[in-house]
Structures are given as structure tokens and as C-alpha cells.
């Protein structure tokens, strides 16, 4: 992934990002510099927060990257997996019911979520909920579609 161009965002665009992250994830995003980068491949719309790729746009809405989630610690829309699921989720696998320890009850089907692991409270992935949060734990079935994870091109991206 290479940067084609980068530009500082206007204050209204920054406010939009801050409001969306506060509403959806409970994150207070405070930054010295916020820049949008255009990449040579159009896979991701990425925003650099103080030079780090902490925000991406999913369906036109700002959301945290894995790196951003670990830096800014969301308080909502979190799905927590057990240690047995860490390797699978880190490799980009979708999240399955048996691996879930906890899921926020405010998650609705179709919401974007961050995947956390229970042992060290590190975020491993970003995905889309396929069911409501109170229906995630159980015996079988896929419940989160993985979008971005530790080790993928976006995670490895260094501006």
C-alpha cells in the first residue's frame, strides 16, 4: 500500500469523525493533526491521526482501525473472544459463536464492531455484526464478518 496523496482535513470533517467515534465507540479522539490519505489501491479510505492510521471509512462512516482501537480504547461495540479464538481472528477468520466470551448488548445486526481478546484486552479485528449482541454467544454459527485484522495490509501500513 502506497500513498498517492494526503491532505489535512477541515475542522468540520474532523468534527464529523470525532462525533461518529464518540457515538459508536465511546472514543474521545483528540489529535494534533488529522489527514486523509489516498492510496494507490482503492481498498481503504484511511485517516491518519497524528501520523498513524487510526481511522478508516466503512460504508462511508468513520470507524477505528485495529491500531486505532488499541490506541484509543473503545468502550462500546466490543465483542470479546477467548484465547482459543485469537489465532483464527488474527488470521482474518470470521468470529464464531463458541469463541465469544462477551458482546455488548447495544450491538445490532449490521453494526461495525471491534474484536477484543480476553487475556490481554488487545483489539484484534474490526468486523460487521451478523446478529445482535445478545445473540452472539452460543454453540455454533458465524456472528461477525471480519473486515480488517491484525497482520493484514492496513495493519501493516506505515505512512
Amino acid at each position: 500500500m502506497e500513498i498517492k496523496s494526503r491532505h489535512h482535513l477541515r475542522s468540520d470533517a474532523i468534527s464529523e469523525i470525532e462525533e461518529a467515534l464518540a457515538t459508536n465507540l465511546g472514543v474521545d479522539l483528540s489529535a494534533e493533526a488529522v489527514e486523509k490519505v489516498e492510496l494507490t489501491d482503492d481498498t481503504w479510505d484511511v485517516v491518519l491521526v497524528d501520523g498513524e492510521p487510526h481511522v478508516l471509512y466503512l460504508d462511508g462512516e468513520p470507524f477505528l482501525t485495529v491500531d486505532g482501537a488499541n490506541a484509543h480504547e473503545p468502550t462500546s461495540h466490543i465483542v470479546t473472544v477467548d484465547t482459543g479464538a485469537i489465532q483464527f481472528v488474527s488470521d482474518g477468520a470470521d468470529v464464531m459463536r463458541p469463541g465469544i466470551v462477551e458482546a455488548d448488548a447495544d450491538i445490532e445486526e449490521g453494526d461495525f464492531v471491534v474484536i477484543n481478546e480476553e487475556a490481554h484486552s488487545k483489539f484484534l479485528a474490526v468486523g460487521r455484526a451478523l446478529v445482535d449482541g445478545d445473540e452472539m454467544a452460543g454453540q455454533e454459527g458465524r456472528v461477525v464478518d471480519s473486515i480488517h485484522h491484525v497482520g493484514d495490509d492496513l495493519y501493516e501500513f506505515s505512512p
Side-chain angles (χ1 to χ4, degrees):
M1 293 175 50
E2 293 181 29
I3 296 175
K4 187 176 182 180
S5 69
R6 64 196 290 173
H7 63 277
H8 289 279
L9 292 176
R10 295 186 336 233
S11 61
D12 60 332
I14 294 170
S15 294
E16 180 183 299
I17 292 170
E18 291 172 339
E19 288 174 29
L21 296 179
T23 300
N24 295 327
L25 296 165
V27 168
D28 178 21
L29 185 73
S30 55
E32 300 277 324
V34 180
E35 301 171 281
K36 187 165 185 184
V37 295
E38 185 179 343
L39 303 172
T40 53
D41 66 358
D42 291 335
T43 308
W44 306 103
D45 285 329
V46 179
V47 174
L48 304 179
V49 178
D50 292 332
E52 298 297 326
H54 286 179
V55 176
L56 75 154
Y57 279 85
L58 300 171
D59 290 347
E61 293 294 319
F63 201 80
L64 291 175
T65 63
V66 171
D67 192 41
N70 283 309
H72 300 284
E73 299 184 38
T75 58
S76 65
H77 283 81
I78 300 170
V79 176
T80 304
V81 297
D82 63 22
T83 55
I86 293 172
Q87 185 63 46
F88 297 105
V89 173
S90 295
D91 286 343
D94 293 336
V95 180
M96 307 298 281
R97 275 194 176 100
I100 294 181
V101 174
E102 183 180 358
D104 289 346
D106 65 340
I107 296 170
E108 294 180 3
E109 180 181 345
D111 285 352
F112 294 109
V113 297
V114 287
I115 311 303
N116 191 17
E117 55 90 11
E118 70 175 337
H120 301 99
S121 293
K122 296 292 182 190
F123 291 93
L124 305 172
V126 170
R128 184 187 298 272
L130 300 174
V131 298
D132 293 345
D134 57 1
E135 298 173 24
M136 285 198 178
Q139 296 302 312
E140 63 183 48
R142 192 170 62 108
V143 293
V144 177
D145 184 24
S146 183
I147 296 172
H148 157 55
H149 60 88
V150 170
D152 69 9
D153 288 343
L154 179 55
Y155 185 81
E156 298 296 330
F157 173 60
S158 180

